[in-house]
Amino acid sequence: MTTRDLVLAVHGSTVPEAGATIARLAGSVGGLTAAPVAVGHLDHQTPSLPYVLADRPGAVVVPLLLGDGYHRTVDIPAVARPFDCAVTRGLSGEHAVALALYDRLRAAERAAGGPADAVVVAGAGSSRPGGDGGTLAAVRQLGLLLPVPVTAAYCSASTPGPAEAVALLRARGFRRVAVAAHLLAPGRFTRALASVPDTWAVADPIADHARVARLVAARYASAGAGAEVPMRVACLRECLPL
């Protein structure tokens, strides 16, 4: 049995830095799995996901999405089906995501000069039932790691928005309100977060964090990716702290 291709299904962005961030993730995942790794975009960028899968029938598709909205539950499976591809779960709700958020938040706090006294976890937002579950899970998990209040906000489709969430915390007396971006790559949402008033620190997105690479590699291994996948991938679940 040969190693199956791994395709990262990503939303895409018009921001040039997004492609570089996803490319770093793809390189890390390729190093962990020794699999051929490609990126297929759902919007804004090329190559498109259908174009990539047409050249890689039978590939393993990992939805690089932090929520279980329309793209993860409907769009990607429909695109993958004609090419006989296996679609794994996305990244929603995984503890590895919360740990990556924690690391990015701590880095932003150090750059700002000290820890925050409250944190807003800002997700993309979804109008689909359950679509915000990944952000809410991150809030719960990050709340167990931090000694300060942690609350959710959404960049679109759901409420409150990030600016409103920060303003509500400041009205309660918190003065060092940080924003943890529950987002994978730079884009219009990260640019909007950077302009939210009265924030103490705004953390970077997490796609190129090592924990995310290990999570994606574990998703690939769980799909029965082939006998030639190195043994180190089989132990990735143990390598992800819980």
Side-chain angles (χ1 to χ4, degrees):
M1 184 183 297
T2 58
T3 301
R4 297 166 73 179
D5 283 19
L6 191 166
V7 176
L8 301 176
V10 306
H11 188 274
S13 172
T14 57
V15 176
E17 296 90 343
T21 301
I22 300 302
R24 288 193 293 273
L25 170 63
S28 296
V29 172
L32 289 168
T33 63
V37 180
V39 178
H41 301 90
L42 300 168
D43 202 359
H44 300 302
Q45 289 174 263
T46 57
S48 69
L49 182 60
Y51 181 89
V52 170
L53 296 186
D55 281 342
R56 296 166 179 82
V60 174
V61 180
V62 180
L64 202 64
L65 300 167
L66 294 175
D68 284 330
Y70 177 83
H71 283 315
R72 214 288 297 165
T73 59
V74 178
D75 197 15
I76 294 173
V79 171
R81 196 172 299 117
F83 304 108
D84 196 28
C85 294
V87 179
T88 74
R89 290 182 292 134
L91 312 184
S92 175
E94 290 291 344
H95 195 52
V97 170
L99 293 172
L101 285 174
Y102 178 85
D103 287 348
R104 292 287 197 248
L105 175 64
R106 287 307 197 201
E109 288 175 324
R110 287 193 295 271
D117 59 9
V119 174
V120 172
V121 176
S126 173
S127 59
R128 191 174 182 83
D132 291 332
T135 299
L136 294 173
V139 168
R140 291 192 298 270
Q141 293 167 358
L142 201 58
L144 296 175
L145 299 172
L146 295 171
V148 301
V150 182
T151 188
Y154 306 96
C155 297
S156 69
S158 299
T159 56
E164 181 184 358
V166 170
L168 288 170
L169 286 167
R170 287 184 60 82
R172 291 169 51 190
F174 298 102
R175 288 296 173 262
R176 292 185 169 192
V177 181
V179 176
H182 188 245
L183 302 166
L184 287 165
R188 63 187 179 93
F189 289 157
T190 58
R191 287 182 171 178
L193 292 180
S195 65
V196 171
D198 299 320
T199 56
W200 173 249
V202 178
D204 290 333
I206 63 171
D208 54 356
H209 193 285
R211 292 187 187 277
V212 175
R214 294 199 293 270
L215 176 58
V216 171
R219 288 283 192 265
Y220 174 73
S222 72
E228 296 180 11
V229 177
M231 287 300 294
R232 64 180 179 274
V233 174
C235 75
L236 279 172
R237 291 193 182 279
E238 299 177 10
C239 299
L240 290 170
L242 298 176

